[in-house]
Amino acid sequence: MTERQAQIIGLIHREVKPALGCTEPIAVALAVAKAVETLGSIDRMLDDIRLDISLSGNILKNGMGVGIPGTGMIGLHIASALGAVCGDSSFGLEVLNNTTPEAIERAKQIVDKGLVNISIADTPHKLYVKAVVSSGVHTAEAVIEDSHDHFVKLQHDSDIIFDIEGKAEEEGESGDYGITVREIVEFAETAEYKDIEFILDDRKLNRALAEEGLTGNYGLCVGKTIMADKEGALGSSFLTFAMALTAAASDARMAGCTLPAMSNSGSGNQGITVSMPVIAYAEKYGISDERLARALILSNLVAIHIKNFVGKLSALCGCVVASTGSACGMIWLRGGNYEQICATIKNMIGNITGMVCDGAKVGCAMKVASGVSSAIQSALLAFEGQCVSKHDGIIDEDIEKTIENLGKVGSVGMQETDNVILNIMVCK
């Protein structure tokens, strides 16, 4: 393995990891858990515990209406309380891995007593969580910035344990190392299989979520309904199969299923959307594990690359980015080359750019299904030599410039859209 290949694999490990529950409320639970652990011998059952949580608007938006695993409840208050009662920060984005019925009941009591205070922070960071936990005369503070599990400050009473707030993340902890689509394709095709086989955990986790969504009654049952409509409006096709599997996994996850997702760029839904259509293709057409692994490496890296320009949280729905990644994985499995992969990305950006994120919720499964449909359509057109022209909208002749343009739309152009959406949501 070359040094550059090791760097790319490190990037994948950093951005593709298991997450239990929607990652915005989970980031809040993680910060609370870390603060509670910092207090030391605190009895998590004490009545005098108080949680003061300050959040960026995007964290608030994505945490207000999503199911918290195993609780039958939605929102940031119960997530915060669970982080205090049973959270274990050593599990990272699976911080609520040790949730029990007793812990849920205790967390509900904390919420009912008004011991959790949620407010919007005055911060330039799109992703920001500050958890201040008080018990008796002692307090602890934990701050997360820019990535869902990236702690920048930890404090116990007046003792600052560490504080890198306001500073750039450590080298290797931000960006995508200047990777390009060409390099992504080359890496996916030439890396030693033994070095990338780990990516098949995508299939293990996200396929299990899909099966749970197909057999249970989660959320809007989008995937289950699509799968059952084999002779109706959609018919029996790969499109139906891929949409159903992907949406079903999102159905289960967003409604509070207790199974983890393999996330991408800090989002479980993005991890599902970037992988499940590719996995569905492999199942439908008998693709070997090695080729599936290479396609998943390609799809995940494309999504990570695009997300680096858009940002972890924005008004642009992450489904746009993730389904673009899965479109690339699918056309590669079909035999597509670099030029066709670039055409697929352009077709996707020319198609569903502008889909807004109005918070994490069970309805996200419908957007996921739409993203999969667009991915298959875009890949099909690209395979037949059809590509959105450089004269159309934000599409450029150069694929990297096209991706940068999408990033500007999502991170800068849609900023006011983000504000309007948040204002609507908090004022309902």
Side-chain angles (χ1 to χ4, degrees), residues 330-407:
M330 286 187 287
I331 194 170
W332 186 85
L333 283 178
R334 192 174 178 180
N337 57 27
Y338 168 73
E339 286 74 21
Q340 290 168 319
I341 289 169
C342 290
T344 298
I345 295 171
K346 292 179 182 181
N347 288 346
M348 285 295 289
I349 293 175
N351 186 353
I352 59 173
T353 294
M355 182 186 289
V356 298
C357 171
D358 56 342
K361 58 204 175 301
V362 295
C364 289
M366 291 192 290
K367 293 184 180 182
V368 164
S370 296
V372 175
S373 175
S374 295
I376 294 171
Q377 174 188 342
S378 296
L380 176 63
L381 287 169
F383 195 78
E384 296 300 326
Q386 303 299 325
C387 178
V388 175
S389 165
K390 65 179 181 180
H391 303 294
D392 289 13
I394 63 172
I395 306 303
D396 193 273
E397 181 70 25
D398 179 69
I399 187 61
E400 301 303 330
K401 182 62 176 176
T402 299
I403 291 172
E404 286 183 36
N405 292 344
L406 174 64

Side-chain angles (χ1 to χ4, degrees), residues 31 169 227 279:
E169 294 181 357
M227 185 69 89
I279 294 164

Side-chain angles (χ1 to χ4, degrees), residues 21-30 59 62-63 66-68 75-76 79-80 96 360:
C22 177
T23 48
E24 278 69 57
I26 290 303
V28 174
L30 179 60
I59 291 286
N62 282 348
V66 69
I68 307 304
L76 294 161
S80 302
L96 298 183

Side-chain angles (χ1 to χ4, degrees), residues 38 154-162:
T38 303
L154 194 61
Q155 182 171 338
H156 181 265
D157 290 333
S158 60
D159 297 327
I160 297 177
I161 299 171
F162 66 84

Side-chain angles (χ1 to χ4, degrees), residues 133-401:
V133 178
S134 306
S135 179
V137 298
H138 298 288
T139 63
E141 176 183 323
V143 179
I144 288 174
E145 280 181 6
D146 300 328
S147 292
H148 293 78
D149 54 358
H150 181 245
F151 286 95
V152 298
K153 183 179 181 181
L154 194 61
Q155 182 171 338
H156 181 265
D157 290 333
S158 60
D159 297 327
I160 297 177
I161 299 171
F162 66 84
D163 184 2
I164 57 174
E165 195 171 2
K167 300 178 183 178
E169 294 181 357
E170 296 176 6
E171 185 177 356
E173 289 296 316
S174 63
D176 65 358
Y177 306 116
I179 202 168
T180 64
V181 175
R182 183 177 291 280
E183 187 177 24
I184 289 170
V185 175
E186 180 182 348
F187 175 80
E189 292 179 340
T190 61
E192 291 286 339
Y193 176 49
K194 64 180 177 61
D195 294 331
I196 60 172
E197 190 176 7
F198 68 86
I199 201 65
L200 292 177
D201 283 347
D202 245 357
R203 177 176 60 185
K204 178 182 177 181
L205 296 187
N206 292 341
R207 188 61 174 89
L209 265 174
E211 192 60 33
E212 183 72 12
L214 290 174
T215 55
N217 291 307
Y218 290 95
L220 299 176
C221 296
V222 177
K224 192 173 185 178
T225 303
I226 292 172
M227 185 69 89
D229 190 43
K230 293 184 181 297
E231 303 303 325
L234 295 173
S236 181
S237 65
F238 169 66
L239 173 64
T240 302
F241 183 59
M243 288 173 64
L245 284 188
T246 311
S250 180
D251 281 323
R253 177 177 176 271
M254 303 311 282
C257 173
T258 56
L259 295 176
M262 186 63 81
S263 67
N264 180 291
S265 303
S267 167
N269 258 0
Q270 287 171 205
I272 288 167
T273 308
V274 84
S275 64
M276 279 313 306
V278 182
I279 294 164
Y281 190 98
E283 286 189 25
K284 186 78 171 180
Y285 299 108
I287 302 297
S288 71
D289 280 0
E290 179 175 344
R291 280 190 62 77
L292 172 59
R294 296 187 184 281
L296 287 172
I297 289 290
L298 173 62
S299 62
N300 275 282
L301 279 174
V302 167
I304 292 167
H305 180 40
I306 298 174
K307 198 68 176 173
N308 185 53
F309 290 93
V310 175
K312 288 288 175 68
L313 297 176
S314 76
L316 183 70
C317 178
C319 166
V320 174
V321 175
S323 55
T324 300
S326 63
C328 294
M330 286 187 287
I331 194 170
W332 186 85
L333 283 178
R334 192 174 178 180
N337 57 27
Y338 168 73
E339 286 74 21
Q340 290 168 319
I341 289 169
C342 290
T344 298
I345 295 171
K346 292 179 182 181
N347 288 346
M348 285 295 289
I349 293 175
N351 186 353
I352 59 173
T353 294
M355 182 186 289
V356 298
C357 171
D358 56 342
K361 58 204 175 301
V362 295
C364 289
M366 291 192 290
K367 293 184 180 182
V368 164
S370 296
V372 175
S373 175
S374 295
I376 294 171
Q377 174 188 342
S378 296
L380 176 63
L381 287 169
F383 195 78
E384 296 300 326
Q386 303 299 325
C387 178
V388 175
S389 165
K390 65 179 181 180
H391 303 294
D392 289 13
I394 63 172
I395 306 303
D396 193 273
E397 181 70 25
D398 179 69
I399 187 61
E400 301 303 330
K401 182 62 176 176

